[in-house]
Amino acid sequence: MGLGDKIGNKGEDLAGKAKEGFGKATGNESMEAEGHKDQASSSVKDAGENVKDAFKQGD
């Protein structure tokens, strides 16, 4: 996984956590759900990159 991808995924995860927290604090369920979605998207991207890394190491 490239460093840029790692940084981008971590940024997306942190932004999702911030949205979720702000949504909880303000009672905005839509923003809270969007935060969850962003975190899940980041996790899926990380998993995909880890699979790519595993195949590269096996070569």
Side-chain angles (χ1 to χ4, degrees):
M1 176 189 300
L3 182 59
D5 291 333
K6 287 181 182 180
I7 292 170
N9 290 343
K10 188 64 172 175
E12 185 175 6
D13 183 56
L14 291 173
K17 287 179 182 179
K19 282 183 187 177
E20 179 187 359
F22 187 75
K24 281 183 182 179
T26 60
N28 185 337
E29 292 178 4
S30 176
M31 183 173 284
E32 186 177 348
E34 188 175 329
H36 280 288
K37 181 186 72 109
D38 290 349
Q39 291 175 63
S41 173
S42 173
S43 294
V44 169
K45 288 177 187 176
D46 279 340
E49 292 294 331
N50 289 338
V51 169
K52 286 183 197 177
D53 287 346
F55 278 105
K56 286 180 184 176
Q57 290 177 358
D59 288 342

